[in-house]
Amino acid sequence: MIALPFMAFGVIFLVFFLMSFSKYDPAVAALGENATGAQLEAFRHEMGYDKPWWSQFWSYLVGLCHGDMGVYGVNKDSVSERIGQAFPITLQLTFIGLLIAVVIAIIFGVLAALYRDTWVDQTIRVLSIIAIATPSFWLGVLLIYVLQIKLSWLPGAGPLVPFSQDPGAYLERMAMPTFALGLPVAGQLTRIIRTSMVEELDKDYVRTAIGAGVPKGVVVARNVFRNALITPITTLGMKIGYLLGGAIVIEVIFALPGMGTAMFDGINGNEPTLVQGVVLIVALSFIIINIVVDLLYVLINPRIRTV
C-alpha cells in the first residue's frame, strides 16, 4: 500500500515516455489528412501537443491530482467517461473468466488428488498442461471459427446486451470470451490445487481421523479442502492480474467495448491521454486486487491469525 503511489507514478511516466516516440501525429489522427496546416497547429496548441513531452507530463500529473484524466480526439471526449463505460465490461469479463477457471480447477484438482497416480490423475494432468500451453487469444480465434462460423452456435461479435435486460443474450455473448480467458488459468490452478491437496492428504491428522472412523468424504470436505486452499489463494492475485491483461486482448478479438478496445483506439489514434488513463486504471486495479487477496490470505490462514 505504501508503494502504491510510487508504482502509479512509474506507470504514468513509462507510458508517457513510450508514447513520445510515436511517429503518428495526434492532430492528423483527430482532424484527418485533409486538415490545413493552420488547423493542425491550432489543434496542437489547444491540446498542448506542441509542448515538450515533459511539460505535457507535468500538466497531466497536475490534472490527475485534481481528478481530471484529460480529453482526447477532435470532439474532446472525456477520458474518465470513456473509462467509466469500458472498465465495468472488463471487470465482468475478468471475474466471469476467473469464476470459470476456479470452478474447473477445483473440480479437476480435487479429483486428481483423490485418484492420484491413476488414469484419472494422468488424464487431468495432460489436460491441464494443454490448457496452460494454450494462448487465450489463439483459443478465442479458434472458438470464433468453430462455434460461430462453422456451427453458428454462439455470437463472436455484436452489441453486448446488459444482463438485467436479457440474461440469455448476455451469457451467449460472454460465453466464448470468458472461456477463452479462463481456460489457461484453470490449467494452472488445477496443478496448484492438486499438489496442495496431495500434500494435505498425506498429513498425520488425515490418517488419524480416517482411522478413528470419520468418513473420508467428511475429512476431505471439512479439513483437507479448506487447508489446501491456502496455497492457491496466495497465487490468486497474480492470476487476476493475468486475466486483466488477457481481457484487453480478448476484448479486441471479440469486439467488446471494454478497456482493451479503448486502448486499441487510443494507440491507433495516437491519443496518449486515453492510453495513459487505460493503463493507469488497469495497473492500479492489479495492485489493489493483490492487496485485497493478501488480506484475504491473512484472514483465512489460522497460523498468521494466531501470530
Side-chain angles (χ1 to χ4, degrees):
M1 294 176 68
I2 294 174
L4 182 59
F6 300 99
M7 299 178 72
F9 176 83
V11 170
I12 297 170
F13 178 82
L14 180 62
V15 174
F16 246 97
F17 181 72
L18 292 177
M19 290 293 290
S20 67
F21 288 100
S22 176
K23 296 181 180 179
Y24 297 100
D25 188 347
V28 176
L31 300 179
E33 297 287 346
N34 297 325
T36 64
Q39 290 174 330
L40 295 175
E41 288 296 330
F43 182 84
R44 295 189 191 103
H45 180 73
E46 184 179 4
M47 301 295 292
Y49 293 142
D50 56 344
K51 298 178 181 179
W53 74 268
W54 55 85
S55 177
Q56 299 179 40
F57 178 67
W58 175 253
S59 298
Y60 182 80
L61 283 180
V62 172
L64 195 62
C65 292
H66 292 85
D68 182 15
M69 302 186 73
V71 296
Y72 69 97
V74 65
N75 296 324
K76 300 179 184 178
D77 297 319
S78 172
V79 174
S80 299
E81 291 182 2
R82 177 69 183 271
I83 291 177
Q85 297 170 358
F87 193 49
I89 296 175
T90 301
L91 287 180
Q92 294 170 37
L93 180 62
T94 299
F95 284 100
I96 295 176
L98 178 65
L99 179 62
I100 292 174
V102 169
V103 170
I104 293 175
I106 289 176
I107 294 174
F108 287 98
V110 172
L111 285 175
L114 294 177
Y115 298 96
R116 57 177 162 174
D117 299 329
T118 65
W119 67 269
V120 176
D121 184 21
Q122 298 297 334
T123 302
I124 293 175
R125 185 176 302 179
V126 171
L127 292 176
S128 64
I129 293 175
I130 294 174
I132 294 171
T134 303
S136 58
F137 62 88
W138 179 85
L139 180 59
V141 174
L142 181 63
L143 290 175
I144 291 174
Y145 178 75
V146 175
L147 298 181
Q148 180 188 6
I149 297 177
K150 290 296 184 181
L151 301 177
S152 300
W153 285 357
L154 293 171
L160 179 62
V161 180
F163 181 82
S164 57
Q165 181 177 339
D166 190 345
Y170 175 85
L171 293 176
E172 286 183 357
R173 184 70 175 87
M174 295 290 282
M176 286 197 291
T178 52
F179 182 78
L181 187 63
L183 186 63
V185 175
Q188 299 170 18
L189 287 177
T190 298
R191 301 295 300 274
I192 296 172
I193 291 176
R194 187 259 182 199
T195 302
S196 185
M197 285 285 296
V198 167
E199 292 176 355
E200 205 66 30
L201 286 169
D202 288 339
K203 291 184 177 180
D204 293 336
Y205 79 88
V206 177
R207 289 191 292 268
T208 301
I210 294 175
V214 180
K216 184 177 181 180
V218 175
V219 177
V220 171
R222 290 185 178 179
N223 302 101
V224 176
F225 181 68
R226 179 185 175 186
N227 294 334
L229 283 182
I230 294 176
T231 300
I233 286 179
T234 60
T235 64
L236 197 59
M238 296 299 295
K239 303 306 178 187
I240 296 176
Y242 168 83
L243 287 171
L244 273 174
I248 291 177
V249 180
I250 290 294
E251 287 169 359
V252 176
I253 295 175
F254 287 92
L256 291 170
M259 299 288 273
T261 304
M263 180 183 291
F264 186 74
D265 293 341
I267 293 174
N268 280 340
N270 193 29
E271 300 289 353
T273 53
L274 181 56
V275 177
Q276 180 66 57
V278 172
V279 174
L280 177 62
I281 295 301
V282 171
L284 291 180
S285 301
F286 172 71
I287 298 169
I288 292 172
I289 287 171
N290 274 276
I291 293 174
V292 173
V293 171
D294 288 341
L295 293 175
L296 180 62
Y297 170 67
V298 172
L299 291 175
I300 70 169
N301 194 327
R303 289 171 293 181
I304 295 180
R305 278 208 315 271
T306 303
V307 174

